[in-house]
Amino acid sequence: MSAFDQAAGLRQWAGAQRGPASPGAQAPAPRANTNGAPPRTLVVVGLPGSSPDQAGRVMTLLEHWAAEGLRWVNDPAQWRVVPLAISSPHLPLLLTQQSRWALWVGSDPDAFRRAFALLSRLHERQGPRRLLAVHAPDLPRRGLLNNLQQAAWRYLGIDLLVMAS
């Protein structure tokens, strides 16, 4: 993905937050939610791309957690997932504007190395000190997720929140 594509996606997202940029422009319709509350934004680093399919992976996980009874999720339709590349020039601005951050953790053999490298880069860029680990619902906490959580805290001072499986 090019920096231009990501910048265009962020501008579209920002425009939706403010409303139409010009009289003829239309902002995307917000997702309907059951209680009328404005969407909660979750900025996710580590996804393999910024397509709607990638954001959908995180939405599927939020739906899974809600079905499992995790009350903090509430209505998954309240969430707006924003994939962000760690190299994005918009990272410093989003750090000042957004309070909810997540790290996508894959399940492949290289997942620990890749996730820890992303956390290290976030640390170098003065990124968030608390992130939610988002991953495939069937990824067990024991092993990869626990090890990543412990390494993030011990070596980087980052609190990686891992939901019980």
Side-chain angles (χ1 to χ4, degrees):
M1 170 181 47
S2 72
F4 174 77
D5 293 336
Q6 185 174 10
L10 283 171
R11 281 192 299 277
Q12 179 184 12
W13 172 79
Q17 300 293 309
R18 290 189 307 267
S22 65
Q26 291 196 0
R31 279 192 305 243
N33 60 48
T34 57
N35 66 5
R40 298 175 184 172
T41 299
L42 180 64
V43 181
V44 183
V45 296
L47 284 164
S50 62
S51 73
D53 291 342
Q54 296 301 321
R57 295 170 84 176
V58 178
M59 287 302 301
T60 298
L61 181 60
L62 290 172
E63 290 164 359
H64 169 78
W65 283 339
E68 292 290 311
L70 294 175
R71 292 177 35 189
W72 65 267
V73 176
N74 199 0
D75 177 6
Q78 289 179 347
W79 292 88
R80 175 178 292 130
V81 175
V82 178
L84 183 71
I86 195 74
S87 59
S88 172
H90 304 289
L91 179 67
L93 178 63
L94 289 172
L95 286 168
T96 65
Q97 295 176 342
Q98 301 302 322
S99 60
R100 295 177 186 96
W101 289 77
L103 171 70
W104 177 260
V105 181
S107 58
D108 59 283
D110 216 20
F112 179 89
R113 182 200 58 78
R114 191 173 46 256
F116 190 76
L118 279 166
L119 289 171
S120 296
R121 290 187 61 202
L122 271 177
H123 178 73
E124 290 168 3
R125 294 192 69 191
Q126 308 303 309
R129 294 290 180 229
R130 178 176 247 198
L131 294 98
L132 174 66
V134 289
H135 50 81
D138 60 348
L139 187 64
R141 180 182 178 122
R142 183 180 227 155
L144 170 66
L145 292 172
N146 276 347
N147 291 342
L148 187 58
Q149 182 183 42
Q150 291 169 9
W153 180 253
R154 181 173 185 182
Y155 298 107
L156 304 171
I158 292 176
D159 188 12
L160 186 63
L161 305 172
V162 178
M163 298 294 109
S165 300

